[in-house]
Amino acid sequence: MTQAPLLRQITDYANRANPYPLYAELRKTPVLQEEDGGPFVISTYWDIQSLLHDPRISSDASNLTAHGGDELPEQEEETALPPSFLRLDPPEHDRLRRMTNRPFGPPHSPRRVHAMRDELDGIISDLIAGFGDADRIDVVDQFSYPFPVTVICRLLGVPREDEARFHSWADTLAAGLDPAPGDDLTERNRVTREARMQLGMYLAGLVEERRKAPGDDMLSELVTSHGPDGPMTTMEVLSTAALLLIAGHETTVNLITNGMLTLLRHPEVLQRLRDDPRLAVGIVEELLRYEPPVQLVPQRTCIADIEVRGVTIPKGSSIWLVLAAGNRDPERFEDPERFDPDRKDIQHLGFGSGIHSCFGAPLARLEAQLALTALARRLDNPRLVEDPPPYRQNAVLRGPRHLNITFDGLRPQ
């Protein structure tokens, strides 16, 4: 398989409904590169896992060279927001991640996510009640999008009435992650820069309000916290808040939607979940392997020569790590094409791994567990309207753009 058509296939919208045969083909040649010096594509589990923990792999866009230049450094330098810690290396990455984690999770706020359970259940109940007497809904528009958006707004302290404003910014910034070779990069970068600038200006207003009158939300804590690492600068607060707003709902939307689609394709598992909500934990972990919301990580760079399976990847090269291909690697998982919520050995790559593993994984897990359990228990005889549904045109964040289903009514809560 040559790399030029390969890159087009990875990013081709036509492959969104079922990219897994392509991923199986990728694994036959675990290290691939275009002849003209494009990115190296890594697709097997153990190689991806190793590289995610390799300090010679950088997330800092400034390390890109002509080997994999995709204009990301220019794109970010011209915006009002600096790169978030997701796009930084240690020690700056570690400092900002520690500071962000103080109001969010262990060891300083160990019960923050757990304490949200009742609030999450209430949001879910309200959304399902909003279905009314309808016998057909779009799961994306009426449930799996508004649910995590409401959650992240409440967590950060963003006014719920402003959700529509950053919905468009989030869509634009998520589209900017897609490494589609045929795109007009100049125009795409211009639109992305504009969205980042508008989001930065919006968040700057919220930050100023929190400085004057702090609340009990996470944004207030980021603004006022003075831990061992000192305070965040205003620009660091802005870039961190933007990351949490976007990442805090984009991936969870896909996780819930992919989950409902998978359950409807496996009605016996859906029935088991309806009968026993405890199964939700295993279902979500298997979903993160079987249908992960993040399919690939395209923005990593070698800062030294690295050998992978006898192939030397030169310093300065861009690397794509195809997480979804690794998650179905038969060298790692038995019968990987089978959806099995009882799978015991399930160390998936759904949240990445290493120092950049998903910051919001505990919250995303809980949201998906509660959401899928509620849908399974409340919807009477749910059925897909079309299969496959239409997918978002994004090779990085994969999920249906709409998921229309019919059902016979709502069961009592």
Coordinates of all heavy atoms in Angstrom, one line a residue, residues 305-342:
D305 N 16.2 11.0 16.5 CA 15.9 9.8 15.7 C 15.4 8.7 16.6 O 15.8 8.5 17.7 CB 17.2 9.3 15.0 CG 17.7 10.3 14.0 OD1 17.0 11.3 13.7 OD2 18.8 10.0 13.4
I306 N 14.3 8.0 16.1 CA 13.7 6.9 16.8 C 13.6 5.7 15.8 O 13.2 5.9 14.7 CB 12.3 7.3 17.3 CG1 12.4 8.5 18.3 CG2 11.6 6.1 18.0 CD1 11.1 9.0 18.8
E307 N 13.9 4.6 16.3 CA 13.8 3.4 15.5 C 12.5 2.6 15.9 O 12.3 2.3 17.1 CB 15.0 2.5 15.6 CG 14.9 1.2 14.7 CD 16.2 0.4 14.8 OE1 17.3 1.0 14.6 OE2 16.1 -0.8 14.9
V308 N 11.7 2.3 15.0 CA 10.4 1.5 15.2 C 10.4 0.4 14.2 O 10.4 0.6 13.0 CB 9.2 2.4 15.1 CG1 7.9 1.6 15.3 CG2 9.2 3.6 16.0
R309 N 10.5 -0.8 14.8 CA 10.5 -2.0 13.9 C 11.5 -2.0 12.8 O 11.2 -2.3 11.6 CB 9.1 -2.3 13.4 CG 8.0 -2.5 14.5 CD 6.9 -3.3 14.0 NE 5.9 -3.4 15.1 CZ 5.0 -4.4 15.1 NH1 5.0 -5.4 14.2 NH2 4.1 -4.5 16.1
G310 N 12.7 -1.5 13.1 CA 13.7 -1.5 12.1 C 13.7 -0.3 11.2 O 14.6 -0.1 10.4
V311 N 12.7 0.6 11.3 CA 12.6 1.8 10.5 C 13.1 3.0 11.4 O 12.6 3.2 12.5 CB 11.2 2.0 10.0 CG1 11.1 3.3 9.3 CG2 10.7 0.9 9.2
T312 N 14.0 3.8 10.8 CA 14.5 5.0 11.6 C 13.6 6.1 11.2 O 13.5 6.5 10.0 CB 15.9 5.3 11.2 OG1 16.8 4.2 11.6 CG2 16.4 6.6 11.9
I313 N 12.9 6.7 12.2 CA 12.1 7.9 12.0 C 13.0 9.1 12.4 O 13.4 9.2 13.5 CB 10.8 7.9 12.9 CG1 10.0 6.6 12.6 CG2 10.0 9.1 12.7 CD1 8.8 6.5 13.4
P314 N 13.3 10.0 11.4 CA 14.3 11.0 11.7 C 13.8 12.1 12.6 O 12.6 12.4 12.7 CB 14.6 11.6 10.3 CG 14.1 10.6 9.3 CD 12.9 10.0 10.0
K315 N 14.7 12.7 13.3 CA 14.4 13.9 14.1 C 13.7 14.9 13.3 O 14.0 15.2 12.2 CB 15.7 14.5 14.7 CG 15.5 15.8 15.5 CD 16.8 16.3 16.0 CE 16.7 17.6 16.7 NZ 18.0 18.2 17.2
G316 N 12.6 15.5 13.9 CA 11.8 16.5 13.2 C 10.7 16.0 12.4 O 9.9 16.8 11.8
S317 N 10.5 14.7 12.3 CA 9.4 14.1 11.5 C 8.1 14.1 12.3 O 8.1 14.1 13.5 CB 9.8 12.6 11.2 OG 10.9 12.5 10.5
S318 N 7.1 14.3 11.5 CA 5.7 14.2 12.1 C 5.2 12.8 12.2 O 5.5 12.0 11.3 CB 4.8 15.1 11.2 OG 3.4 15.0 11.7
I319 N 4.5 12.4 13.3 CA 4.0 11.1 13.5 C 2.5 11.1 13.7 O 2.0 11.9 14.4 CB 4.7 10.4 14.7 CG1 6.2 10.2 14.4 CG2 4.1 9.1 15.0 CD1 6.9 9.5 15.5
W320 N 1.8 10.2 13.0 CA 0.4 10.0 13.3 C 0.3 8.7 14.0 O 0.8 7.6 13.6 CB -0.4 9.9 12.0 CG -0.5 11.2 11.2 CD1 0.1 12.4 11.5 CD2 -1.4 11.4 10.1 NE1 -0.3 13.3 10.6 CE2 -1.2 12.7 9.7 CE3 -2.3 10.6 9.4 CZ2 -1.9 13.3 8.6 CZ3 -2.9 11.1 8.3 CH2 -2.8 12.5 7.9
L321 N -0.3 8.7 15.2 CA -0.6 7.5 16.0 C -2.1 7.1 15.8 O -2.9 7.9 16.3 CB -0.2 7.7 17.4 CG 1.2 8.2 17.7 CD1 1.4 8.5 19.2 CD2 2.2 7.2 17.3
V322 N -2.4 6.0 15.1 CA -3.8 5.7 14.8 C -4.3 4.8 16.0 O -4.2 3.6 16.0 CB -3.9 4.9 13.5 CG1 -5.4 4.8 13.1 CG2 -3.2 5.7 12.4
L323 N -4.8 5.5 17.0 CA -5.2 4.8 18.3 C -6.3 3.7 18.0 O -6.2 2.6 18.6 CB -5.8 5.8 19.2 CG -4.9 7.0 19.6 CD1 -5.6 7.9 20.6 CD2 -3.6 6.6 20.2
A324 N -7.2 4.0 17.1 CA -8.3 3.1 16.8 C -7.8 1.8 16.1 O -8.4 0.8 16.3 CB -9.4 3.8 16.0
A325 N -6.8 1.9 15.4 CA -6.2 0.7 14.8 C -5.5 -0.1 15.8 O -5.6 -1.3 15.8 CB -5.2 1.1 13.7
G326 N -4.8 0.5 16.7 CA -4.1 -0.2 17.8 C -5.2 -0.9 18.7 O -4.9 -2.0 19.3
N327 N -6.3 -0.3 18.9 CA -7.4 -0.8 19.8 C -7.9 -2.1 19.2 O -8.6 -2.9 19.9 CB -8.5 0.2 20.0 CG -8.2 1.1 21.1 OD1 -7.4 0.9 22.0 ND2 -9.0 2.2 21.2
R328 N -7.8 -2.4 17.9 CA -8.3 -3.6 17.3 C -7.1 -4.5 16.8 O -7.3 -5.3 15.9 CB -9.3 -3.3 16.2 CG -10.5 -2.6 16.7 CD -11.7 -2.8 15.8 NE -12.9 -2.1 16.2 CZ -14.1 -2.3 15.6 NH1 -14.2 -3.1 14.6 NH2 -15.1 -1.6 16.0
D329 N -6.0 -4.3 17.4 CA -4.8 -5.1 17.0 C -4.9 -6.5 17.5 O -4.9 -6.7 18.8 CB -3.5 -4.4 17.6 CG -2.3 -5.1 17.0 OD1 -2.3 -6.2 16.5 OD2 -1.2 -4.4 17.2
P330 N -5.0 -7.5 16.7 CA -5.1 -8.9 17.2 C -3.8 -9.4 17.9 O -3.9 -10.4 18.6 CB -5.3 -9.7 15.9 CG -4.8 -8.9 14.8 CD -5.0 -7.5 15.2
E331 N -2.7 -8.7 17.8 CA -1.6 -9.1 18.6 C -1.7 -8.7 20.1 O -1.0 -9.1 20.9 CB -0.3 -8.4 18.0 CG 0.1 -8.9 16.7 CD 1.5 -8.4 16.2 OE1 2.0 -7.5 17.0 OE2 1.9 -8.7 15.1
R332 N -2.7 -7.8 20.3 CA -2.9 -7.3 21.7 C -4.2 -7.8 22.3 O -4.3 -8.2 23.4 CB -2.9 -5.8 21.7 CG -3.2 -5.2 23.0 CD -2.2 -5.6 24.1 NE -2.6 -5.1 25.4 CZ -3.4 -5.7 26.3 NH1 -4.1 -6.8 25.9 NH2 -3.6 -5.2 27.5
F333 N -5.3 -7.9 21.4 CA -6.6 -8.2 21.9 C -7.2 -9.5 21.2 O -7.1 -9.5 20.0 CB -7.6 -7.1 21.7 CG -7.3 -5.8 22.5 CD1 -6.7 -4.7 21.9 CD2 -7.5 -5.8 23.9 CE1 -6.4 -3.6 22.6 CE2 -7.2 -4.6 24.6 CZ -6.6 -3.5 23.9
E334 N -7.7 -10.4 22.0 CA -8.3 -11.6 21.4 C -9.6 -11.2 20.8 O -10.4 -10.5 21.3 CB -8.5 -12.6 22.5 CG -9.1 -13.9 22.0 CD -9.3 -15.0 23.1 OE1 -8.8 -14.7 24.3 OE2 -9.9 -16.0 22.9
D335 N -9.8 -11.7 19.5 CA -11.1 -11.5 18.8 C -11.4 -10.0 18.8 O -12.5 -9.6 19.3 CB -12.2 -12.3 19.4 CG -13.4 -12.4 18.4 OD1 -13.3 -11.9 17.3 OD2 -14.4 -13.0 18.9
P336 N -10.5 -9.1 18.3 CA -10.7 -7.7 18.5 C -11.9 -7.0 17.8 O -12.3 -6.0 18.2 CB -9.4 -7.1 18.0 CG -8.9 -8.1 17.0 CD -9.3 -9.4 17.5
E337 N -12.4 -7.7 16.8 CA -13.5 -7.1 16.0 C -14.8 -7.4 16.7 O -15.9 -6.9 16.2 CB -13.5 -7.7 14.6 CG -12.3 -7.5 13.8 CD -12.0 -6.0 13.6 OE1 -13.0 -5.2 13.4 OE2 -10.8 -5.6 13.6
R338 N -14.8 -8.1 17.8 CA -16.1 -8.4 18.5 C -16.3 -7.5 19.7 O -15.4 -7.2 20.4 CB -16.0 -9.9 19.1 CG -17.3 -10.3 19.8 CD -17.3 -11.8 20.0 NE -16.1 -12.2 20.9 CZ -16.2 -12.4 22.2 NH1 -17.3 -12.1 22.8 NH2 -15.1 -12.8 22.8
F339 N -17.5 -6.9 19.8 CA -17.9 -6.1 20.9 C -18.2 -6.9 22.1 O -19.2 -7.7 22.0 CB -19.0 -5.2 20.5 CG -19.5 -4.3 21.6 CD1 -18.7 -3.3 22.1 CD2 -20.8 -4.4 22.2 CE1 -19.1 -2.4 23.1 CE2 -21.2 -3.6 23.2 CZ -20.4 -2.6 23.7
D340 N -17.4 -6.9 23.1 CA -17.6 -7.8 24.3 C -17.5 -7.0 25.6 O -16.4 -6.7 26.1 CB -16.5 -8.9 24.2 CG -16.6 -9.8 25.4 OD1 -17.6 -9.8 26.1 OD2 -15.7 -10.7 25.5
P341 N -18.6 -6.6 26.2 CA -18.5 -5.8 27.4 C -18.0 -6.6 28.6 O -17.8 -6.1 29.7 CB -20.0 -5.4 27.6 CG -20.8 -6.4 26.9 CD -20.0 -6.8 25.7
D342 N -17.9 -7.9 28.4 CA -17.3 -8.8 29.5 C -15.8 -9.0 29.3 O -15.2 -9.8 30.1 CB -18.0 -10.1 29.5 CG -19.5 -10.0 29.8 OD1 -19.9 -9.3 30.7 OD2 -20.3 -10.6 29.0

